[in-house]
Amino acid sequence: MTLSQIGIIISILVYLSGMLLVGFVSSRDTNDVKDFYLGGRKLGPFVTAMSAEASDMSSYLLMGVPGVAYFSGIADAGWTAAGLIVGTYLNWLFTAKRLRNYTESLDAITIPDYFKKRFKDDSNILLCIGAAFILIFFVPYTASGFSACGKLFSSLFGVNYQLAMIVSAVIIVGYTTTGGFLAASKTDFIQSIVMTAALFFVVGYGIISAGGLSAVSNNLQNMQGFLDINATYNNATGSADSYGFFSKVTTFCWGLGYFGMPHILLRFMAVRKSSELKLSRRIASVWVVFSLGIAVILGIVGRAMTQSGALESLIEDPTSASKAETLIVVLAQQISEHNFIFALIAGMIIAGILASTMSTADSQLIAASSAVSENVIQETLGINLTETAAMLTARATLIAVAVFGVIIAWNPNSSVFGIVSFAWAGFGAVFGPAMIMSLYWKRANKFGTIAGMVSGGAMVFIWKYLVRPIGGFWNLYELAPAFLVAIIMIVVVSLATAEPDEDMVREFEHVSKMS
């Protein structure tokens, strides 16, 4: 083992030990199921903001965005980042405070539980549909996080992929089962700081290695379309490809997904005071702009380094950006070779990649386990558990979900990463329209919400596998059409069925005045 590898390992071990310590400390404040799943609604504005954004970004921030920018230029990555920034801000602006007030008024601690109580669904149909879609999309989503950790350690140190993945999963499950939602939120807050530091340091290193900012620009001038927001660079032909209106819509529509992300919405529900959400919104919005902007710049700087000869080419296949997504890993390895201090810093960069993955995986585990333990076992099946039994069930369910995630990600050559964008569309279409209409339209009822959730989820599959392959005009990210169909179904079916009762309307108006 080389000196640089030792330095990287030391930094990673310090980081992982810190995460486990946070889980242990948080366990002291986790006394019941409400604490385990929602942290007792006592998150401060800074932790609420940063943990929400860290749990959102995953490895896409440090690997996906820079990889796309490196591969084809600023258009694809830039429009995606713009959509995510706008979606983040609007979600905080329109959803956060109303959802916090509504869920406290209804005493709801999960998203399916909120829909059940919001629409007085004694049949538990909404509860079952919500829990089912959470499991359908979250288990493979979590698997992608485990897979990312396994591939990272396997490529860095040559260790067995499955072993690295299992160790990573055990650590994530360890602090999450111990401290529950509080541990996930506090570690996410720390992880957002690590992710930011990693991005800034690598970009600074890259600019210096490329010869300065002017050199970065000069090195990319001959790459047609690379620095154009209306075109992309074609690696096969060396020319520019048009990046038209529908391409921009496809990427910009990623922002719609925010309104339906259970692991982000739970942060809104967990803040200690709804009045603090304004500060949280500002913190979150600023962080998202800076982090996504730096991620795009990292890809541009990395390509300039390649053009100047300071970095090997990461384009193995001119039609695939998969190799380009390893940019930050390659740069971390390059940094570690300077001296031992740089190796320790490189270890923190790798820890940043782990942070981005772990911060999403832990939140997904919490949301998925709550869907099974609270919504299915206790509420739908009617199995009454004592507080102690409920806590044990919550932790056992979380472990079971993690085990299924490990099984799905077992094959290192699996295409589990491709599920991430599909799962994002699924959550956005199933829960997003239902969430917006439940918070802002008092005429919405349970029949319309059921129709919207089912049609939104179904349209994601239909568009992805039957319509989008047609290509051309139809090659649109499945979230946009599915979101629209769900909205229409909620309105049409709600208007065609019975109006909400007086108690439901009174509750809606009360929350509206509070918000």
Side-chain angles (χ1 to χ4, degrees):
M1 185 175 291
T2 64
L3 188 65
S4 63
Q5 288 179 323
I6 293 173
I8 292 174
I9 290 173
I10 290 174
S11 288
I12 291 174
L13 288 177
V14 169
Y15 166 75
L16 294 177
S17 299
M19 297 302 98
L20 290 173
L21 178 62
V22 170
F24 175 75
V25 173
S26 299
S27 67
R28 300 177 183 178
D29 297 320
T30 304
N31 303 311
D32 55 30
V33 172
K34 282 189 178 181
D35 288 339
F36 189 81
Y37 287 133
L38 212 56
R41 298 188 196 271
K42 48 193 173 189
L43 295 189
F46 280 89
V47 175
T48 299
M50 299 300 280
S51 66
E53 299 316 311
S55 66
D56 153 36
M57 287 301 171
S58 73
S59 56
Y60 187 73
L61 176 65
L62 296 187
M63 300 178 75
V65 174
V68 171
Y70 179 99
F71 183 76
S72 61
I74 65 172
D76 205 358
W79 282 103
T80 301
L84 294 175
I85 290 168
V86 172
T88 295
Y89 181 78
L90 294 180
N91 196 29
W92 280 96
L93 182 64
F94 293 114
T95 307
K97 191 172 184 178
R98 286 204 178 205
L99 181 61
R100 169 64 174 80
N101 290 335
Y102 230 137
T103 53
E104 183 179 38
S105 177
L106 297 172
D107 192 28
I109 61 173
T110 69
I111 299 302
D113 190 34
Y114 160 71
F115 284 118
K116 172 193 172 177
K117 292 177 178 178
R118 163 68 176 86
F119 294 109
K120 300 185 184 299
D121 179 24
D122 296 330
S123 65
N124 286 332
I125 294 176
L126 274 172
L127 199 70
C128 290
I129 292 173
F133 276 115
I134 283 176
L135 288 177
I136 288 171
F137 293 118
F138 259 155
V139 173
Y141 206 152
T142 303
S144 71
F146 295 159
S147 178
C149 292
K151 290 178 179 179
L152 177 62
F153 285 117
S154 179
S155 62
L156 276 175
F157 307 114
V159 298
N160 178 268
Y161 163 80
Q162 283 85 5
L163 176 62
M165 180 184 62
I166 291 172
V167 170
S168 302
V170 167
I171 292 170
I172 296 171
V173 170
Y175 71 73
T176 309
T177 53
T178 304
F181 186 85
L182 279 177
S185 297
K186 290 178 181 178
T187 54
D188 288 353
F189 174 70
I190 297 169
Q191 288 161 350
S192 66
I193 297 172
V194 175
M195 292 157 62
T196 305
L199 276 171
F200 273 99
F201 185 86
V202 174
V203 167
Y205 172 83
I207 292 174
I208 294 172
S209 299
L213 287 173
S214 59
V216 169
S217 177
N218 293 334
N219 289 335
L220 299 173
Q221 289 298 326
N222 294 327
M223 298 177 64
Q224 298 179 32
F226 195 87
L227 299 177
D228 189 343
I229 62 171
N230 297 309
T232 57
Y233 178 74
N234 188 317
N235 289 282
T237 63
S239 59
D241 288 341
S242 175
Y243 199 79
F245 175 75
F246 286 105
S247 296
K248 294 170 185 174
V249 170
T250 294
T251 51
F252 196 80
C253 281
W254 272 77
L256 289 174
Y258 280 107
F259 296 99
M261 293 297 129
H263 55 300
I264 298 174
L265 298 173
L266 286 174
R267 263 60 183 193
F268 302 160
M269 295 162 57
V271 70
R272 65 190 173 203
K273 296 178 182 178
S274 61
S275 59
E276 294 179 332
L277 284 166
K278 186 174 183 179
L279 176 58
S280 295
R281 182 180 75 237
R282 291 172 176 172
I283 296 168
S285 299
V286 170
W287 186 81
V288 165
V289 170
F290 274 99
S291 60
L292 283 170
I294 292 295
V296 174
I297 292 171
L298 175 58
I300 295 169
V301 170
R303 193 58 182 260
M305 289 176 65
T306 296
Q307 293 299 106
S308 67
L311 179 71
E312 64 179 16
S313 175
L314 300 179
I315 307 296
E316 288 184 342
D317 179 355
T319 63
S320 173
S322 60
K323 177 68 173 176
E325 291 180 353
T326 65
L327 172 63
I328 194 168
V329 179
V330 174
L331 287 176
Q333 289 178 308
Q334 186 170 309
I335 290 169
S336 71
E337 294 170 359
H338 288 278
N339 55 50
F340 187 70
I341 299 299
F342 274 79
L344 292 174
I345 295 173
M348 290 308 298
I349 295 169
I350 300 301
I353 302 172
L354 283 175
S356 65
T357 303
M358 293 168 66
S359 61
T360 302
D362 56 20
S363 300
Q364 291 167 343
L365 284 171
I366 290 287
S369 66
S370 68
V372 176
S373 177
E374 280 292 304
N375 303 143
V376 176
I377 294 176
Q378 295 195 68
E379 297 189 50
T380 302
L381 298 181
I383 300 174
N384 295 320
L385 300 173
T386 64
E387 197 63 52
T388 301
M391 285 292 290
L392 288 173
T393 303
R395 289 183 165 118
T397 304
L398 190 148
I399 293 171
V401 171
V403 169
F404 278 108
V406 168
I407 292 172
I408 291 174
W410 192 256
N411 181 3
N413 297 318
S414 63
S415 59
V416 70
F417 277 108
I419 299 174
V420 173
S421 64
F422 182 65
W424 183 269
F427 283 126
V430 171
F431 294 110
M435 181 60 67
I436 293 171
M437 301 303 278
S438 72
L439 294 175
Y440 283 95
W441 191 38
K442 64 181 178 182
R443 181 63 177 80
N445 62 23
K446 73 173 182 179
F447 302 107
T449 305
I450 290 170
M453 292 171 73
V454 173
S455 62
M459 182 54 66
V460 169
F461 284 91
I462 293 170
W463 197 275
K464 170 74 172 180
Y465 295 108
L466 298 179
V467 179
R468 197 172 181 183
I470 297 173
F473 174 84
W474 304 103
N475 187 24
L476 185 66
Y477 183 35
E478 52 270 16
L479 175 54
F483 196 96
L484 180 61
V485 166
I487 288 282
I488 293 172
M489 290 299 293
I490 291 173
V491 172
V492 171
V493 175
S494 291
L495 292 175
T497 51
E499 294 184 11
D501 61 36
E502 292 183 5
D503 288 340
M504 200 183 304
V505 173
R506 193 179 304 115
E507 184 78 39
F508 177 91
E509 291 175 345
H510 171 67
V511 172
S512 297
K513 290 178 181 178
M514 289 174 59
S515 306

